Each structure stands twice: as structure tokens, then as C-alpha cells.
Amino acid sequence: MLAWLRRLWRRDREFVVWLAVLLLLLLVVVIGPSLLPSAYVQSPGERLQGPSGTHLLGTDGYGRDVLARVVEAGRTSLLIALVIAALATVLGSVIGLVSGFYAKSASVLMRAMDALMAFPGIVLSIALVAAIGTGALSEIVALSVVFTPYMARISRSRALHLAGRGYVLAARSAGVSGPRILLTHILPNALPTILVQSLLIFAAALLLDGTLSFLGMGVQPPTPTWGNMIAEARPYLSIAPTFVVAPGLAIVLAVVTLNAISAGLRSIVDPRARALASMFVMRRERRAPRRA
Amino acid sequence: MLGLILRRLRDLAIVLVLVGTAIFFIVRVIPGDAALAVAGDQATPEQVEAIREAMGLNVPLWQQYVTWFGQLLVGDFGTSTSFHTPVAPIILSHLLPTVTLALAATVLSIAITVPLSIGVALYPRNWLWRTVNRFTAVGIAVPEFWLALLLVTVFAVTFGAVPVSGWVNPFVDPAAGIPHLILPIVVLMVGQISTFALMLRDNLIGEMLQPYLRTARAKGARERRVFYRHALPNALLPAVTVVGNNLGTLLGGIVVLETIFVIPGLGSLLFQAVSTRDYAIIQGATIVIAIIFVVLNFIVDLIYLLLDPRVRVS
Amino acid sequence: MSALLRVTDFTVEVETDNGRLALAEEVGFAVRRGETLCIAGESGSGKSVTVLSIARLLEFTAPIRLSGSATLDGIDLVAQDQLEMSRLRGARIGVVFQEAMEALNPTMRIGAQLLEAFRLHAHPRRGVGRAELDRAGRAKALSLLTEVGMADPEAVMTQYPHQLSGGMQQRVMIAMALVGDPDLLIADEPTTALDVTVQAEILRLLRRLQRQRDMACVLITHDLGIAAEMADRIAVMYAGEIIESGPVEQMLRRPQHPYTKALLECVPRPGVRVAGRLRTIPGAVPAPGAKPPGDRFAPRNALATERCHTEPPPVLVDGDHMVRSWAPVTEWTPELVERLTGPEESPVDAARRAPGDAFLVLEHVNKTYARNARRQTTRADRRGAADVSVTRAVMDLSLTIRRGELFGVVGETGSGKSTLGRLMLDLEKPDPGSRIRLGEIEYGRRRRRRAELELRREIQAVFQDPHGSIDPRQTVAQAITEPMRQLLPIGRAERGRRVLELLDAVGLPATTARKYASELSGGQRQRVAIARAIAATPKLIVADEPTSALDVSVQGQIVNLLLELQRELDLTYVLITHNLSLITSIADRVGVMQGGRLLEVADAETLLRSPGHEYTRRLLESNPDPFAPRP
Amino acid sequence: AGGGSPQPTATATTSDDGPVSGGVLVQTLPNDPGTLDMAVSTLQVTQTMGSNVFESLFALDKAFQPQPMLVDSVEMSDDRTVYTLGLRGGVTFHDGSELDSGDVAASLERFFTVSPSGAGVAADVVSVEAPDPLTVVITLAQPRHSLLGELAASAALILPEEIATAAGANPLTGAQTIGTGPYQLGQYQTGQSVTLERFDEYSARAEGDWGGQAGMKHAYLDGIEFRFVAEDSTVVNGLTTGQWQMSAPSNDQYSVLQANPNITLTPIAGGVVNTVILNHHPDSAFADVEARRALNLVINKEDMAAVSGTAPDLLTMTGAFQAPENAPLFSEAGTDVYESYDPERAKEQFATAGVDTIRMLVPSNFPQMVAWGNVLQQELTDIGLTVEIESYDLTTVRAKATDEPGSWDLSLTFISGTVVAPPLINWLQQKYIGGYQNDELDELFAEYAAAEDASAAKQVVDRIQQLVWDDIPSIVLYGSKQYVALDKSVKGFDGNFMLALYNTWLDAS
Ligand SMILES: Nc1ncnc2c1ncn2[C@@H]1O[C@H](COP(=O)(O)OP(=O)(O)OP(=O)(O)O)[C@@H](O)[C@H]1O
Ligand SMILES: Nc1ncnc2c1ncn2[C@@H]1O[C@H](COP(=O)(O)OP(=O)(O)OP(=O)(O)O)[C@@H](O)[C@H]1O
Ligand SMILES: [Mg+2]
Ligand SMILES: [Mg+2]
């Protein structure tokens, strides 16, 4: 593990740094609430105070500690986005891999995926949430539906590609059944791609969760999410700007981190991407050639 | 080529029918209806029922579906329960702001992204490269609504440089209209530019590794020519499709920004309709958004087809 | 007479994360006008790196450092800046690259690409307007296209690269290299991706042009047959060094370096029937980072002395001939050759393998593909291609494979060889009306899993691509176990034991079992693939180009392994290949395919002596053979 | 094409301090009801717009007493069952037609069928007759003390006869928006804005000192534009940058805006009564009066008020079901119950009532309701109850409450503190989502209707208020006033509870 990390560090410092940031984020979100004041206990007498020693980021409209709420919101938002990413990944990759491997039989599914992709994500999720009601569960359902097609598309093209590889043909000649090939050959080899994509979905879900919560269609207060905190904070933008700025920055940080890790992972998985990243392109022609 | 277009059109039609059906039923599941929405808090169930009947909302669901779909086929989106007029013209009148924003943001973003990415690809690892890379990483991660709030506070409220919100048709009254557009477009552009720049940079660098550039050099072409005449056009070609792929995000962003900036576009129409439970409008607006999305994607693909001989001539 | 291009002490190094790495070292050679130098050697030996660095083309895509000198007509190319080089390239140096499809700009018309080449060096002079220049360029392009053998140059001018066949693309590449009337033509494996018949035409074309224009030509190839046909002089590269160079006659007939000799011996000779084994070189080409200290070839050289292993050998020059060795061999005896490349059993009569009864029977087999179905993953196709026309990959093919024979299938690219293989393996469903039967098992009728497994126990496969043939996420042991688990009624422990047996049988150490594909060389992977194929004790093995991605020296090892296994396990083979020399030297019967049809089936000798079909005759004629008498 | 941000430009040229004519005032409203029809739509936004356009036979003055508006004379028979109303002559509708008794009869007919308050009146009405063009005779089955007040309701608006019949229960469309008010509908851009224009043929009453909605109305403004802006911060930003001149921002903005010298804050007359609605469905926790009392004990009304962000000067900490300014209906009976606060006892009472879970339906449109919900949740959780919150927009809350009547225990609302009769308080009605039914209350309502005069009526009101705090159909949290924020150029606005803009003008200086 340590050796692996060291190797990684030598290969791609930035990636390791982002990994550390993610770990830190998770750590803060997991153990933070037990160190900070309660994110829920209201003290209407201490509403909308600016940053101070006791309340590092001030208090909100109920006199709750904003920092504690940002951390608690991180817990909710990250968890929800994670569950969404997980669901979309599982659903999407099953649909994609199956329809890619049995190329002919499954175009119906992909047509349905196309139809889903014809809605801009936010519009589809608004419609779905409006229909099935607000709350964490509905949001998870709605956003999973939104993101599944993206995963399906990626994993399908991956499966199409893998289905022609020699080892798949060899497995078929060895009498391995279709489902088993999917499980033992296609899935493991598509996994890196799926993982990269699922991290992107994680990040995108975080953003969309922010937007939905902001529009009041996500998780409902008093449970904080970054999005609904910003919505709650809107009226106070001029009085207590930290209240708006903090959760927004948290979203940006989390999304940047996830995207960076996804990109780093991609460059590990796909060496070409790495070659691209480290390419140097145009050279000065009027320079004396380098001699050894 | 023609057959290809026809097949795409057929697929498009299938997708739109699915979209329409889906949205019809999704909308009906939303609790509450137009009668309840207009009656308000003081009304009694009898009164709501009376209004419901007057609005024709107590017809069986399947009957509503059949009627609606039949009308849709002849371009009739039905009648709005809150506007009391046919939906099609309403949607049409709300189309302009949305389309203006989408086009302006896209065109401006491209205009900025292309030279920027060229700079980045030409002189990698210098300050520009680092700045752009950081900007794109953050730009993709910033929630539009949040950025909008901050920019409004800083530029509109504090400095009063631009209006806080609202919409004036910039084609009728540019002097008043354009300032209203500045903030929403800037917010949209942040995301757009980041996405485009990232794609274009990857495309360009990928293209710079292509063997045919070696051929060009072997012919005696200088780097400038190799880059501008060979690598750049070929890198820009597939980037066209990025514009299409990103359209969903863009439209989504516009929908949210319209509510923040009080712009009478499709997005705010949709929100308004959800709160008044105006089914005809919700359905119409969603379908139109889906159509815009699908059709523009189709057009983008078509442009790509036309531009790229690899696909065009086969 | 002084050389046009003189390369001395030319070293190419690349900067890597782990420091500098020499890719080519102390290379030296000279080419005169009107002369062709062939640089031959196995893959990875540094051929491309050397010549592309001479043209100074490599440094755009890799952090390269050069030393030594390469003078073109007195100009030291290594000392020029790229601005100066861009004046030389195209005008004095023309380059033809390997994959023409990739080397041409896909979005520019052929005409535009040729015109560009012209304009880059034809400067408008006083009195000559731009329009006039363009007209001149057009005329030049058209005449060149005609010169390289285009039937309708006007039409070609308006086409895009992907609309042309591979051969035509390569002709365009050549025309483009000639636009500036260069003195030196560099061609990096210009025919590798082409069919032999097309290859022969391109080579003839190159030779003609070179003679007519009195160009100096540096031709890279890994095929000594091509070198034999084209070269005035041959330089053989190994692990970044030129180990021997000299006039073609001497190089082919009296090579002094063991490697040159071994390389020649490895090439199967068409018509010389091998029943025992092919000659091979043990081991594999070392990677740039892992070059042995002394003579680079010493570890694979059975004749190597102690000194060869430890000290770099001297360069011995004798007139036109150069050899880098401690112990050049001037007189090759059969014993020496045998020590170097292994024993070759005496040619046995083809009848040695008595034909058995009918085993695999194909009757009126057809296979039609919807065109483009294969490119489903590309964007354009996802969007639904309208072109519904079909490809008939296999057409009305009837064939009987007999028990115990080695049946070869040859044919050009796209002739349907692989499709036939997949049909035989029941990995693909033939069109209705086709009948395929293996022993008692009818292919189309099997529905149940038991019947399926029954078939799989009989027939197994080895595929071409050594990179794709083993799942990168599986260990070698897992890969080999897979068919056993499915097809053999044996337990875990038994399977584990058998894995080791099989590894031993294919000549791999037991430690290989725990390795992953990425840790193996191409030849080792193919050995694993073979072990997997024989794991479930099949009777018939279909091998689709099992050696075409491998170097000649390794190719022999794999073929020997196949032959050995056939003897031991009593196997029947269907061997698909495009290598005519190879197949005629080992197959009992050969089927020739073209455009989905099976043109003829004959035993190897008959085929060579009196080909029954015009196409077969052309194939045989085009087949490059270093042992054929020089024209 | 949209209207942009027209800077109010006063065109008139009169003196410095007096009213000036001209200019367009832009007022923001949080949402678009889709109609100005105050009969069908009971929403506050509808009233705000409609009150400039429509008039009723009577109107409430600043003391919330009915005064004649379209009528000139009222005669009541001795048994208080026959009212003969003489209409004012020379009143014209916006479409140019003249008001006559036929219009009134048809409009009242519509009022009786569509409006919630009309339905109450209808129960007592025997006939509405129009013996001659300027006389309307209303015959009742029994005396009804609140009749004139009820006829003063905005829902009892008077329309031309054809329109009243044609519209029926449908909300009025733009073309049907024809009233007798000082402003007429210009353009209705659904979802965006509504513009009103001055109605030049408006015939005003002469009484200048009645206040409220009653008496003389003068349209100084050339026009009024209502802009629909949902977002509170946008509303405030627009106000501060002068994009609009009048808005009703959320409570929290009060102190911010107060500090802004360019903005005047005006409390709105009357006020609202903030209430926890209790569900009386058998499946509800609050079907049991013990649980209702327990809930009252656990609610800290001060905290509720604080968390709503309402400025102290706008608060009235009373448990009355109507605002203090609505003197005829304001009663302090039962204050002791309202003021009692004892979580410990509440805990015991909940236990005896066997209640351990409370299901809340919280409308998400109103920040203060969300806030109450949050505080209430905490208070209940603190005494060991489980609280399940569901939060939806108002329409959904209503739909859920009606469609699944047993699925919730409490919800939140605020009601107008200025209704004209106790039966109009929605949470006292059986038909309301809470489904409260109490025979004693029905008798009191009957007594109220039969009351001979104001003081008799007031006594009944006191008894009703007492009953409310004894049986607790719903829990009044506190009373508060709403406020509007006005640009300092807005002059003459009296804070009338409809936010009607006649008698208001824009001062250019
Ligand atoms: N940019 C680079 N960085 C590091 N190693 C390189 C680079 N380019 C080439 N090499 C290595 O240099 C060695 C020689 O490569 P080269 O392409 O010259 O071989 P070749 O003789 O042309 O073989 P082939 O027949 O496969 O074309 C190979 O091992 C290759 O992996
Ligand atoms: N899965 C497929 N879908 C569509 N067309 C196919 C498919 N497989 C093969 N073809 C087409 O069938 C023809 C025969 O292909 P096949 O791969 O059998 O040729 P081959 O003789 O093996 O060629 P090569 O020497 O290049 O391997 C080609 O034109 C090819 O494009
Ligand atoms: Mg090479
Ligand atoms: Mg093949």
C-alpha cells in the first residue's frame, strides 16, 4: 500500500494531493459534526451573527452555527451524491454492458436511454421530483434516472469494444456462458472506465443536488444540504455573506476534487491521456538543436 | 447521406414521442391541479370542484392523453389553464429570451475559447496554460445559481454596474436590453468556456500527436503551418459536437438563471406553470425544451457531418 | 564516389522519467545517389528512430537528443535548426511513412495535400504569378499521380484519403514525397500493412522511381525478402546498433554476424517442406533499457564466447563490409547453423501425415454482414448509417478438414479468412442454408448448453492479437484454467496441477502462472494462448494468424511449438495466415481465399509447383523470398 | 416587448407637496395567480391587483366597517331580512356600459356560487331582485348581522351581467376583467407582469375621510405595473437599485431596508394571524383535545415570532383570531391559555393522549412557515416526540391534506386578520382541511348572525374566542403586521390592507 502510494506519488503528484483532499473532506464530514456545535439546535436569540470565536462562520436565521451546518450539509450532500452515483453506475453499467455485449438484442433499452437524455438533466429532475415529491429519497430516485443514461452510453461503447477482444472470443470458444463472460471479462475490464465515469457522475450529482436543493426541490430543511443552505441564505446575502459563500465554496471544492481525481484516474487507466497531459507541443524552430 | 439524415429524423421522432408520453404522465402525478392552485387557501372543496369542472379537468386521464396527443400532432399544444389562451403562442413568446441566452452564451464562449485553447496548446506549461487549467477546473465546478447570486451582489447591487434582473428585448431596445443580458450570459459562459476549453485543449494536444503532422513536416511545412493548417482544423471539427453535448447543461443553467434574473423565458415559464399546475404549459414547455435540445444536437451532428469528410464521404 | 548521405557515430537518446535512454547508438552508414540501402531488423531494434532522427522528425513528438553527424551533401543535418530543416525536408529529403492512412491528413483532399507540398518549395519568382504557380503545381501533382500508377489522377485529386485503398494511399504518399524532387528518399516500412500482391507493385514502383530519378534511398524493412529484392546494400540493426552491413549479395549469401545468419535461417522457405521444426533464435529482442553489456546478441547466441558476454565487440570493416562482432563467422557449417538456430529435421514427405477421415465439414457456407456493423462504436455510426448494403465475407464455401491434418488458409486482407475461422469455431452464425458439422455435431441445431460444451471440448482457438488474447485482469493460471473449468470434469487441485503441466508443455517456466499478460512478451503470450487452447484436450484447433504480430525469430518458436503439440496430442489444425512462405512450408493442404470465396485447395507442393488459379499464381510471384535468385 | 425598468417619470407639473399626477409605479408580487378574479381566487396577490380594478357594493373603511361603495342608500326592513339597496347612478364599467341592478344581481349570483364567503351568505339568501335599474332587493331567510360586511368583501365584486354569467366558476380571463374601479387592465403578460391603466371615466365617491378601501378614490398614476418576482433577494436588490418602487419583501429584510434612506417601510393595516392548523380527522393525533392542549403548551410563541424574523414593531403577541385593528372581531378572551407554556406538562398530556408521533405538512413557499416548522419540530423532539416533516409548495400541501385526510396532523398558515365575520375564518369551518366540527360553535355562529347590533355581535365574538382557546381547533401563534417597502418617490400610500394604489402618487423630485 505504502509502496504503491510512493509509486503513485512519483508518477502523478497532483493526483495524490487531490486524493488527500478528498480524504480530508470525507474525514471532516464524518467526524466534524461530533466536534462542532449541533447543526440543528436553534437559538432564535442569536440569529444572523457575524463570524466570531464561538461561531467561526457566524449563525444563520435560526441562530445555528453556520460552520456546523456546512459540515453537516456536506455529510448529506456527499452521501446523497454518492448514493446517486452508485445507483446510476450500477444501473447504467448493467444496461450498457448488457446491451453492448448482446449488441443486437438490447437496442430498445438504449432508445429509452436516448429519450431520457433528450431532457436537460435539471428539467428532467424537476419534473420527476415534482411528480414523486421532495425529499432525499425522491431526489435520489430522480437523479439516478437522470444520470443512468450517461453511464449506460459509456459502458455500452466499452462493452462493444471489449466484446471483440481475443480473450472474449477465447472464453466463448472455451464454452463460458454469456453472463459469465460479462462478469469475469467484460466487467473487470470495463471497470476502470466505469469508475472514472462514476466519479464524474458523483461530481455532477453534487452540482445538480445543489441546484435542486437551491430550488427547494431537494432535501428539505432543517436537514442541511449545500444547496438548500444557499437558498436559505439568499435573503441574508447583504447581511451575512459568509452564510451564502461558505456552502458554495464547499460545493466547488468537492466538485473540483472529484473531477481532478477522475482525470487523474483516467490518465492512469489510459496511458494515452497521460501522454497527452505531459506533451510538449510547438517548438521554437530557430533554436540550436539539442546535442547530447 | 440523405438516408442517414432520414434515419436520424426517425429516431428523433421516436425519442420525442417517448419524451411527450413520459412528461404527460409525470405531470399528472404531481399532487394538486390547476383548480386548487388558482382557488387559493380559503376555498372549500366544493368550490375547487366547481372550478375543476369549469376548467375541464375532470375528464378521465386516458381521454386527456389521447386528446392532447392528437392535438400535439397538428401542432396544437392545448390551452393554458392560467393564461386561458392556446399554449403554442405563449411558448413562442417565451422562446426568445431562452434562445437568445443560449446562442449568445455559446457564440461568445466559442469566440473566447478557441483563441484561448490555441494559446494553451501552443505554449503549454506557461502562465496562460496554468491559469486556463485552473479556471476550467473551477469553472466546471461552480454552481451557476451561486455564481449568479455573488455576481449580482457585487456588480449589480454594490456597484450598480448592471441591472439586478429583468429582461428587455435586446433586438427592440439594445441600449436597455443588453445590460440586462450581461450577468446571466457571463454566468453561463463561465461553465461553457470551461467545458469547451477542456475539450478543445485535449483535442488539440491529441491532434498534435497524429502521424499526419509528421507528414506535413516531412513535406517541409513549418510549425506554424503544421499547427494552423493541419492540427487546428482537425481538432476543431470534433469540438463542434461538444457544443451539442453541452447543450443540456446550458439549457439547465438557463432554466435556473431565468428564475434568478426574472427573465421571461421557457425556464421561468416552466416554474410558473409548475406552481399553477398548468399542465398544458408544463407539457408544452418541456417538450419544446426537449425538441430544442434534440434538434440542436441533430443540427450540430449535421454540421459535423458536413464539415468532416471522414464521415461525409463514405 | 562520395556518398550523398553519410551517417557517422549517430546516437539517439530519449529523456525518460528514469533518465536518458539510448534508442540508437553509434550508427554509421553511407548511401550514394542511385543506391538503395535497406535497414533490416526485428521490431524495436531502432530502425525508425534512426532514420526519422536523421530527418529530424522525431524531436517534435519526443524529448530526443542527438549526437554524431549525418551529412547530406555536406550539410550536417544534426547541426541545423528546424527552420533550415524545413527547407531541406520535402525539397532534398522525401519521406514515405508506414501507415499511409494515418500519415495523410484525413480532412484534406489529396490534391490539396499534394499542392501544399509543391507550394512549400516552389517560391514565386519574378514574372511568375501565384496563379501560374498553382497551375504548375497542379500539373506536377497530376503527372506524379500518373507516374505512381493512378488510373484517374484527376479524380484522385478531389478525393479524401479514406476513399482510397491502402495501396493507393501509399502511392499518394510516394507521389507526395517526390513533389520536391528530393535527392534522398526515406521509406519506413512502406508496405508493411499491405497485401503481398500490392506490396510487390509498390516495391516495383519505388525501385523504378529510384532508378529513373537517381535518388539515394533508405528503405526500412523487417522482411529480408524485401531487402533482397530492393537493396543494393543491407544494414542489419539489432538493439539499437547496426551489427552488420554490406552489399546485398554478401549479406544474403555470406553473412558474418551470427544474428544476420540466424535471421536469414529463420525465414521459412516456400516450397521447402518442413515437417519437424523451423529454425529459430531463442529468446527475444532486448528492450532499450535492458541491453546486455557485451555483444548485444550474445545472450541469444549459442556461439557466443565469454568475451562476447562482457565486452562490447569491435567494429570490423573490410572494404564495403562492416561487422560488429568479436567473432565474425566467415565459413558457415551446418553444425554451426544448427547450434545457432536449433536442429532442423530432415524434410519429410507430405504424406507422412496420413489423411484421416472427414472431421470438420462445411457445406455451402455463407456469411453476410451488414456493412458498418463493425464500426458501431464510432460516432457517425451510432447516429445511424444509412448504408444498408452488405459485405459478403464468406461466399458459398464448402470444405472438409480431415482428422490429423494441418490445413492452411491464406488470402489477402478482407478475404474472409478470420470470418471463416469464427464460423468454424461456431462463434458466428452463418447465413441460413449453410451447414457446418464437426464429427456428429451439427452447428445450427445445438440449442442446449450440454451440446454446446460438447462441441467446445472438441474445438479450440488461438487468436492473432497477442495483446488482446489474454484478459489483462487475469493471471496466466486463471486464463489457462478457464476452459478446464468449463469443459473438464476435474477438481481444483487437479486443474492447478494441469496448469503447470501445460505451461511446461508450451515451454514456459512454472513461475509464469502467477503473472499477468502485461508482464509477458508477445511470444510468451502466444504460448499462453496455446496452452489455453490445448487445456481442454480438444481435437481441432483453429489458429487465426497466431504469429503475424511476432518477429520472425519468435514466429519460428511458436510454429515449432504448434507442430510439436500436434505430434504429441494428435491434433488437427486449421491455420489462418497471410504468410505464404510459412504456410507452404508446414501445411498439409492449403486453401486460398479471395473475396470470401475459397479459390482452390491443394497440398503445398502442388500449389507451389502448379497453382490451379491465376490468383494463387500472383500470390506466389509476389511473395518476397530472400533465397530466390536475384533479378 | 417587455417593459424594462421604466423610471417613474411624473409628467404633471403641480406643487411640491401635494399629489401629482402621472408616472407608472412598478410593484412586485411574488407570484402570478393568472387572473385578477377575486371571487374565484382567494390569494393575496389576486386581491392586491384586483382591488384597483374591481369594486363591490360596499367597502371596508379604515376601521373595518362596511361603507357604501357602489350603493347610495341602504334600507333594512325591521325584521332585518329585507335589504333594499339604491345604486349610485352614472357609474360606468371599463367597457363603457353603465352599472345597473341587473349587473349587481348577476354578480351576486356568481359571488354566491364561486366564492367561499359567498357560499356562506347564500345559505341565508332567499332572493336577489332588481325591480328597477338602480334598485336591488335582497331578501334573507333570517337576519344576518354580517351581511353588509360580507358584501364589502372583494370577492363580491361587481361585473357586467354578461360577463358574470359567462364566466361562471371559471376565473375571469383578461378580456373579462371589466370592473368599475379607478384602474383598468392594460396588458396581462402571464408569468411576467400585469399593467393597469388609469380609467378616465371613473366616477369617484365624495367621502374623503373613510380610509381603507372605502370612499373617494383618485387615480394619480398613469399606470401600475405588477411584476412577478419570486425571489426575495431579487426583490430587495431591485428595490435598492430603483428597478421597482414597491414590494413586500420577507420579514428578514426589514432591518436591512430600514437602514436604507431611499426606502420607506409602511406597515399594512390590519395584519395577519399566524396559525398552526390542526387536523381533526379521526386518524390524526389532534382528534383528541388533550393532544391539542398539549401542543399549545409546548409551543414557545416568542420563539416562533423571533424565528420568523418579524420586526418587533410589527408584532402583536396575542392569541386573538383577528387583528386588533379589526375591532369588531378582536377579542382577548382565553389569553391565559394562549400564554401558558409548559413543556413538561405537555409531555405528560401527550403521553395520556397516547401521541408519540406528529406528522407535519409544511408549505415551503413561505420562509416563516418553514421556520415555524423547524422550531416546532425541535420543541416536539425535545419532549421526546417523533416528528415527520413533509414540505411542499402550498398547492401540493393543500392537495395532500385534502386527498389523504388522515395522513397528517398539523400544518401551518396565516390568515387575514380582517375578515368581516367569524365564520369566514377558514380553520373554524368544517369544510376546511382541518375538518373542525363543533355544535357549540355552530350555535355561536348562528347567534352572531342574528345579533342585533355591534355590541351584541361583539359579545358573541368574545364567546367564540373563548371557545377557540378552550377547544383549540387550531393554535394561533401570534399576530403580525405585514409591511411594504416603498421607494421614497412613492407618496400618499396609506398602508391599506389590500395594497390598493389609488390615492398614491409618484413624486419626481
Ligand atoms: N519516444 C520514445 N520514448 C521512449 N522509447 C521510444 C520512443 N520512441 C521509440 N522508442 C523505443 O525505441 C525502440 C526502437 O523503436 P523503433 O520504432 O525505432 O523500432 P523499429 O526498429 O522501427 O521497430 P518496428 O519494426 O516495430 O517499427 C523501441 O523499443 C521503442 O519502444
Ligand atoms: N463483425 C463484422 N461485421 C461487419 N463486417 C465484418 C465483420 N467481420 C468481418 N467483416 C467484413 O468481412 C470481410 C472479411 O473479413 P475478415 O476479417 O474475415 O477478413 P480476413 O481475411 O481475416 O482479413 P485480415 O487479413 O485483414 O484479417 C471484410 O470486408 C470485413 O470488413
Ligand atoms: Mg519502425
Ligand atoms: Mg483476419
Side-chain angles (χ1 to χ4, degrees), chain A residues 173-196:
Chain A
S173 347
V176 183
S177 64
R180 205 188 151 85
I181 291 182
L182 261 176
L183 227 58
T184 55
H185 294 292
I186 307 271
L187 179 64
N189 283 291
L191 214 52
T193 316
I194 290 176
L195 193 62
V196 168

Side-chain angles (χ1 to χ4, degrees), chain D residues 350 354-358 384-387:
Chain D
F350 272 125
V355 172
D356 51 12
T357 307
I358 305 288
L385 271 71
T386 313
V387 179

